[in-house]
Amino acid sequence: MQYVCDECGHTATKWLGNCPNCGSWHTFKEFKVERKPASEKEHKGKVEGLEESPPPQKLEDIASHAKDRFMSHIQELDRVLGGGFVSGSFVLIGGDPGIGKSTLTLQIGKANPELRILYCAGEESAGQIRQRAKRLGVDSANFYVYTDTNIDNVLKEARKMNPDLLIVDSIQTVYRTELTSMAGSIQQVKECAALLQQLAKKQDITTLVIGHVTKEGSIAGPRVLEHMVDTVLQFEGDSNYNYRMLRSLKNRFGPAQEVGVFEMKESGLVDVLNPSQLFLSDYDSSVSGNAVICSIEGSRSLLVEVQALTTPSNYGTPQRTANGFDHRRLSLLLAVLEKRGGYQFSGQDVYLNIAGGLKVNDPAADLGVICALVSSLLDKSISSNIAFLGEVGLGGEIRAVNKVDQRLGEIQKLGFEKALIPCASAPERRYDLQLMEASNMMEAIKKPFSKS
């Protein structure tokens, strides 16, 4: 028996509370060691066509592909991939159940009917896929469905057909008969992923694999799976909203943390090309506690509404609730407001919400968040047509943020008239905006409540 860390794949001969490799706690799981076939039976464990590798080549002698990339013709997906699929790449896409992973992969056949696609389904029958494809309007003559979950058969069909794109839905359902463990186990996932990686690199077949997620939201299986692939895409979104965010957590061929925005409709996922306008569609500046921040997600600027609500606490310990914003960051900002600004939140329940179901991790959201909190505490609305960007330090100082010109360009495009920015973040060019600069928290908080 061996014990394997769920986070990083580190193995040990006994159970450990703390992983010595990644430092995670209580992540070691027990599994039975699979024995390799005996030498006289080794040929049974090999996959035809994947045993041999080309000899070493000089870098200057390696021929580049005439067609290094091909487009899915789904704008937001191509944006997140860095300009389309790279030929021979290995892509992993994860997300909560029902968020739209299978829907998006099926829609590739609709958006680009010229692509030769082999869809290997382990969770649905061919008839079920046909029904869903009909609802989504997928009617491509080059879209093939294969429902076998034996990885050897999948590889054999892929090599015979040589598709432009191989889709495996999902990696937890395929298995190899040489291993006695169940499909979805750590060793099955690692073995099947390694074979699919070899197929992508040696046969130059672009492979897209769908992965399940754990209850914490991370991709299920050993962490080594994410290291093996070229690109990791993560679907984010609240089931109560129709909006979906596709984020690249890792990308060897493009920018990481790039974000694509979709809207889920009856006809499938639809590109949202102007997400800022979508997230601000219900913004009401006359209500206290509402503010607009400019966040950078990947390479794009997004204007998002922050909603704060403070009420007197009826319990000994005040509640602190954040939706779409880091809970620990909220506690830090409240501590700075109390220590440096003298605003008393110790007897207040505090609720913070990022409207639209978006998750914001950009430090530039700090300034808008503290102004929204003070606005709710004082029950005074923030003056209209103003957007915020700036990081708040522990000393109450307003620190500079990156990509100021890009942020201000988005603020101006959406019709805002004012922007509250740090003094250290001077833009390189002029804008049709009233720029209000602040160097510290107390100076910044006074300005949005002024009617001038």
Side-chain angles (χ1 to χ4, degrees):
M1 303 300 289
Q2 277 191 348
Y3 295 85
V4 178
C5 175
D6 269 347
E7 291 293 323
C8 65
H10 181 75
T11 59
T13 56
K14 62 179 181 179
W15 185 87
L16 299 174
N18 177 250
C19 177
N21 186 46
C22 67
S24 300
W25 287 88
H26 307 298
T27 55
F28 274 90
K29 302 293 175 61
E30 181 183 14
F31 80 101
K32 185 177 180 181
V33 179
E34 301 284 354
R35 299 297 180 185
K36 295 293 183 182
S39 56
E40 63 271 12
K41 297 180 181 179
E42 281 185 356
H43 65 280
K44 294 183 180 180
K46 294 182 178 180
V47 178
E48 183 182 355
L50 299 183
E51 306 94 338
E52 299 180 359
S53 299
Q57 303 176 66
K58 288 184 179 180
L59 184 62
E60 59 186 18
D61 296 336
I62 300 175
S64 61
H65 298 286
K67 185 180 178 183
D68 289 331
R69 286 184 184 267
F70 60 89
M71 308 294 284
S72 69
H73 293 310
I74 300 176
Q75 272 188 269
E76 293 297 289
L77 176 59
D78 290 333
R79 166 195 282 272
V80 175
L81 290 170
F85 288 100
V86 174
S87 298
S89 61
F90 190 21
V91 181
L92 172 66
I93 180 170
D96 294 334
I99 202 168
K101 303 183 296 297
S102 301
T103 299
L104 181 63
T105 52
L106 272 177
Q107 286 185 224
I108 297 175
K110 175 185 177 181
N112 192 348
E114 296 180 359
L115 280 182
R116 190 178 176 87
I117 299 174
L118 176 59
Y119 189 97
C120 298
E123 300 178 350
E124 297 175 280
S125 67
Q128 291 171 330
I129 294 173
R130 172 58 181 159
Q131 288 180 3
R132 190 150 53 89
K134 185 177 180 180
R135 176 176 59 84
L136 297 173
V138 182
D139 191 19
S140 171
N142 293 320
F143 198 101
Y144 297 84
V145 177
Y146 187 57
T147 56
D148 198 331
T149 54
N150 187 327
I151 190 64
D152 294 336
N153 295 338
V154 170
L155 297 173
K156 181 179 178 181
E157 289 297 325
R159 292 186 64 249
K160 183 167 64 175
M161 185 178 295
N162 193 29
D164 297 313
L165 180 64
L166 169 65
I167 300 173
V168 179
D169 185 8
S170 64
I171 188 65
Q172 279 80 14
T173 60
V174 293
Y175 66 94
R176 197 170 189 202
T177 55
E178 281 76 12
L179 303 178
T180 58
S181 53
M182 294 176 59
S185 65
I186 291 175
Q187 195 150 3
Q188 285 281 9
V189 169
K190 289 172 65 175
E191 182 77 8
C192 293
L195 292 173
L196 289 169
Q197 182 193 44
Q198 292 181 53
L199 176 75
K201 304 307 176 186
K202 294 183 179 180
Q203 304 295 321
D204 200 30
I205 297 175
T206 304
T207 304
L208 175 62
V209 172
I210 294 176
H212 295 168
V213 295
T214 63
K215 61 183 180 180
E216 290 82 14
S218 58
I219 296 176
R223 199 61 183 265
V224 70
L225 176 63
E226 298 178 42
H227 292 289
M228 293 171 65
V229 301
D230 298 312
T231 305
V232 179
L233 305 181
Q234 180 82 12
F235 253 121
E236 300 173 358
D238 193 321
S239 58
N240 296 318
Y241 296 91
N242 291 329
Y243 312 126
R244 304 286 187 267
M245 306 282 292
L246 184 64
R247 188 187 302 272
S248 62
L249 304 181
K250 168 189 175 183
N251 194 351
R252 288 175 178 157
F253 311 114
Q257 297 301 321
E258 185 61 271
V259 168
V261 183
F262 298 90
E263 184 177 2
M264 178 65 81
K265 295 185 177 181
E266 187 176 347
S267 58
L269 290 165
V270 179
D271 295 312
V272 177
L273 303 180
N274 191 357
S276 295
Q277 190 171 11
L278 182 71
F279 290 131
L280 295 179
S281 58
D282 299 321
Y283 173 61
D284 185 0
S285 61
S286 64
V287 178
S288 64
N290 288 359
V292 174
I293 62 172
C294 187
S295 172
I296 292 288
E297 298 293 337
S299 64
R300 77 194 320 171
S301 302
L302 296 179
L303 292 186
V304 187
E305 179 185 356
V306 175
Q307 298 175 326
L309 177 66
T310 61
T311 59
S313 177
N314 295 322
Y315 304 96
T317 303
Q319 297 187 61
R320 303 285 186 260
T321 303
N323 183 27
F325 193 78
D326 186 9
H327 184 273
R328 292 170 296 181
R329 188 73 181 174
L330 173 61
S331 299
L332 182 149
L333 294 176
L334 289 172
V336 173
L337 281 169
E338 289 203 1
K339 179 73 173 180
R340 308 299 180 188
Y343 295 98
Q344 295 301 315
F345 289 91
S346 55
Q348 300 282 326
D349 290 335
V350 177
Y351 305 92
L352 189 73
N353 178 51
I354 304 297
L358 183 68
K359 293 181 180 179
V360 174
N361 298 313
D362 190 353
D366 290 353
L367 185 54
V369 169
I370 64 168
C371 288
L373 291 168
V374 173
S375 170
S376 180
L377 181 68
L378 302 179
D379 199 20
K380 293 176 61 177
S381 62
I382 294 173
S383 58
S384 60
N385 293 323
I386 183 170
F388 300 85
L389 56 104
E391 180 183 357
V392 177
L394 293 181
E397 73 278 9
I398 307 299
R399 308 177 69 89
V401 296
N402 61 351
K403 300 182 180 179
V404 175
D405 285 277
Q406 181 180 340
R407 297 176 195 262
L408 293 177
E410 182 72 11
I411 292 171
Q412 179 176 293
K413 187 175 75 173
L414 268 290
F416 284 81
E417 300 173 357
K418 307 172 187 175
L420 182 55
I421 65 174
C423 288
S425 295
E428 296 180 359
R429 61 187 182 90
R430 292 181 61 85
Y431 293 90
D432 295 330
L433 292 168
Q434 180 184 347
L435 298 181
M436 300 185 293
E437 299 181 355
S439 59
N440 60 73
M441 184 183 67
M442 293 306 299
E443 181 185 350
I445 288 175
K446 296 175 183 177
K447 294 189 176 184
F449 301 104
S450 171
K451 300 301 180 182
S452 59

